[in-house]
Amino acid sequence: MKKNVLKKVFASMLTGALILGLSACGTSGSQDKGESSDSKASVSENVGEASSDLKAPSEEESGGDTFKVGIVQYVDDASLNQIETNIEKELDAKALELGVTFDYADYTYNGQADGTVLNQIASELIADDVDIIVPIATPTAQIMQSATEDEDIPIVYSAVSDPVGSGLAESMETPGMNMTGTSDALNTRSVMDMMFSLNPDIGKVGLLYSKSESSSEQPIADAKAYLDEKGIDYVEKTGTNTDEVSTAADALIAEGVDVIFTPTDNTVMTAELSIYEKIADAGIAHYCGADSFALNGAFCGYGVDYANLGAATADMVADILVNEKDAGSMPVQTFDNGIATVNTEIADMLKISMDDVNLAFSDYCTSVVETVTAEEFED
């Protein structure tokens, strides 16, 4: 894991000790704005702070305006880490191009999937008078939206699968509410088509996801509709943390499913390294809604290029801060990359040849990318 991520995890663990006994507040709601300066200092010192190894151009180096950019990640996983890294890289590049400074190093946090911590982070960013907030993943965006309801702080979210359904946009063309962003909406039908093209004899499909993530609702509904059309049986199992996801995976294996489908679900993504071996050992191909799943041991991840998603998010931030664009009038950006990422180690375990994969997937994706199991993408 990257050095800065480790520091964020350690800081989050300290925060967990400080807030022990407080109940989690879910995925929405704001913290009392009348908190004391002592409590703000506590958050600043302990809640998933950015590490000192983040490098943004200084005001002296840029010679222009400085903008404070708050970046808030939902949880550590390969997809979201990749997005954050590419947001930061692109902000640095845009700063040099535009002659300004984007100061994100002092305002980058990780909520570790804890609603209480995410609300504390929102209060800290508001107190710091940041110029913009960039929440990564749907739950983070919902909390930042609620916390800044009475504030004049634009929001540019990243990796929100269903902005309209999640209440984060009035429409994709004109999102309103002083917010916009990028969406990693999943083409569920393409995933299903690839599954059956490679293995037309599938008789039972396992659906593995978290009910706590609104981003999973629509793709799971789409998967059920697809399977109902084909008359294929399916079994649903859910979990809200790594242990529950592992138990759910055990249950699907016991049910004798032929394949497992998981949408762009951060809860399962966080658990993937803990479950992939037993799924593969059972001879089951796991198809998922992001390339990071394949990196962490799933057979296939299909979806958008998260490096491109992060860069596009940063470009929107720059447009709002430097060119004074109105966030609510900027269309939400979507991506139809159609990239399938296949873990060749898992393919070998399942006795699936890459020649067969490329032939079967060719009609449903623009390219097939090969990977092997690792914890993080290389920078």
Side-chain angles (χ1 to χ4, degrees):
M1 186 176 287
K2 297 179 293 184
K3 181 180 178 182
N4 64 304
V5 173
L6 282 171
K7 289 185 178 180
K8 293 175 189 176
V9 172
F10 178 67
S12 182
M13 290 169 63
L14 290 176
T15 301
L18 286 173
I19 63 174
L20 188 63
L22 295 175
S23 59
C25 60
T27 58
S28 63
S30 60
Q31 185 167 321
D32 184 0
K33 294 181 177 63
E35 66 178 331
S36 69
S37 59
D38 288 343
S39 65
K40 290 177 182 177
S42 175
V43 173
S44 177
E45 291 168 6
N46 295 307
V47 179
E49 278 193 299
S51 64
S52 60
D53 61 348
L54 296 175
K55 301 296 182 184
S58 68
E59 189 167 2
E60 290 182 359
E61 292 170 332
S62 68
D65 294 331
T66 295
F67 300 98
K68 295 188 286 188
V69 179
I71 301 176
V72 189
Q73 186 166 310
Y74 177 59
V75 71
D76 281 321
D77 70 38
S79 286
L80 304 189
N81 292 343
Q82 185 184 27
I83 293 168
E84 182 190 332
T85 295
N86 283 278
I87 289 172
E88 293 164 357
K89 285 182 177 179
E90 183 68 6
L91 285 177
D92 289 349
K94 297 297 288 188
L96 292 173
E97 173 190 334
L98 300 169
V100 300
T101 297
F102 297 116
D103 180 6
Y104 57 81
D106 295 325
Y107 310 103
T108 296
Y109 297 89
N110 191 313
Q112 295 302 327
D114 188 311
T116 301
V117 174
L118 286 164
N119 273 286
Q120 288 179 298
I121 290 169
S123 295
E124 177 74 4
L125 292 174
I126 292 168
D128 285 336
D129 196 25
V130 296
D131 295 296
I132 200 165
I133 297 176
V134 185
I136 303 174
T138 302
T140 316
Q142 290 172 322
I143 288 176
M144 296 301 124
Q145 175 196 35
S146 179
T148 60
E149 188 174 6
D150 298 323
E151 307 292 335
D152 188 25
I153 302 175
I155 291 175
V156 178
Y157 46 74
S158 189
V160 170
S161 300
D162 184 5
V164 176
S166 300
L168 295 167
E170 294 170 2
S171 72
M172 297 293 280
E173 295 76 23
T174 310
M177 300 180 287
N178 202 23
M179 61 196 309
T180 186
T182 58
S183 173
D184 59 346
L186 179 64
N187 187 336
T188 306
R189 179 167 287 272
S190 290
V191 181
M192 298 286 121
D193 284 339
M194 288 191 301
M195 282 169 36
F196 283 93
S197 179
L198 184 60
N199 182 5
D201 296 325
I202 293 172
K204 184 185 291 187
V205 176
L207 304 176
L208 178 63
Y209 63 102
S210 171
K211 285 186 176 180
S212 66
E213 297 212 20
S214 60
S215 59
S216 292
E217 293 175 5
Q218 189 59 54
I220 288 296
D222 293 341
K224 291 178 182 178
Y226 180 101
L227 296 170
D228 285 338
E229 288 175 13
K230 293 181 72 72
I232 302 296
D233 292 336
Y234 54 84
V235 180
E236 295 179 73
K237 297 296 177 184
T238 64
T240 59
N241 55 49
T242 295
D243 288 341
E244 290 180 4
V245 169
S246 182
T247 299
D250 290 335
L252 290 176
I253 293 169
E255 290 272 3
V257 300
D258 299 303
V259 295
I260 294 175
F261 167 68
T262 294
T264 313
D265 189 299
N266 291 302
T267 302
V268 181
M269 176 68 251
T270 304
E272 188 65 34
L273 283 167
S274 301
I275 64 174
Y276 80 91
E277 287 182 299
K278 60 184 172 184
I279 292 175
D281 285 341
I284 299 170
H286 192 186
Y287 288 80
C288 307
D291 56 356
S292 52
F293 283 94
L295 179 78
N296 283 179
F299 167 65
C300 177
Y302 176 86
V304 305
D305 179 340
Y306 279 101
N308 184 34
L309 187 85
T313 304
D315 288 342
M316 297 178 81
V317 169
D319 224 12
I320 291 167
L321 294 179
V322 179
N323 298 324
E324 300 183 352
K325 291 288 185 68
D326 173 50
S329 300
M330 296 174 68
V332 177
Q333 290 195 36
T334 58
F335 303 83
D336 187 19
N337 304 79
I339 297 173
T341 303
V342 176
N343 188 310
T344 55
E345 295 173 341
I346 302 302
D348 287 343
M349 291 178 65
L350 298 174
K351 296 180 171 54
I352 299 173
S353 78
M354 288 306 298
D355 287 341
D356 289 342
V357 168
N358 283 290
L359 181 61
F361 289 3
S362 61
D363 290 337
Y364 307 107
C365 62
T366 56
S367 64
V368 176
V369 176
E370 297 182 6
T371 192
V372 294
T373 307
E375 186 173 352
E376 296 282 350
F377 290 101
E378 294 182 2
D379 290 342

